[in-house]
Amino acid sequence: MLITLKEGREALRLDGTDNDNIIQALIDSIPSYLEVSTGRSWDTEPVHPLAQTIAKFILQLWYYEQGPDTERLKRTIDSLLVGLTAIGRTLE
């Protein structure tokens, strides 16, 4: 598992559990997204710290679809995915 529900709530800065079903569904979708984006699975133990960081950024982007930092967040995710892809190639 890339990130837990608790880590997801912390990344989103949420205290309550009202949206846990939505958050968990988004968290469950992230491993497939990373695999398609990088060509490698990242949810096996031990989880790479960069994959965890990107997962939190992706969760923020998906949960808060439009915000003042949306474009900057997208660019950050894209840049980190390039790095993660390169790391994945060296691990094979």
Side-chain angles (χ1 to χ4, degrees):
M1 175 178 291
L2 284 168
I3 59 173
T4 64
L5 180 59
K6 181 181 178 199
E7 291 169 327
R9 268 194 241 111
E10 289 171 0
L12 296 170
R13 297 184 180 112
L14 297 174
D15 292 326
T17 60
D18 294 344
N19 294 322
D20 279 0
N21 290 339
I22 295 167
I23 297 166
Q24 188 62 57
L26 294 172
I27 289 171
D28 292 344
S29 299
I30 292 171
S32 297
Y33 180 82
L34 286 180
E35 187 168 353
V36 168
S37 298
T38 66
R40 185 180 191 281
S41 176
W42 294 97
D43 58 347
T44 56
E45 297 293 331
V47 176
H48 195 282
L50 183 56
Q52 287 179 316
T53 299
I54 295 170
K56 291 175 185 177
F57 284 142
I58 291 169
L59 180 62
Q60 290 173 1
L61 180 66
W62 289 352
Y63 189 80
Y64 300 115
E65 293 179 46
Q66 295 296 321
D69 296 326
T70 300
E71 288 306 314
R72 187 172 59 171
L73 188 55
K74 286 179 182 178
R75 286 192 305 273
T76 300
I77 292 168
D78 289 344
S79 296
L80 292 174
L81 284 172
V82 169
L84 193 63
T85 300
I87 291 169
R89 289 182 183 144
T90 63
L91 295 176
E92 292 179 356

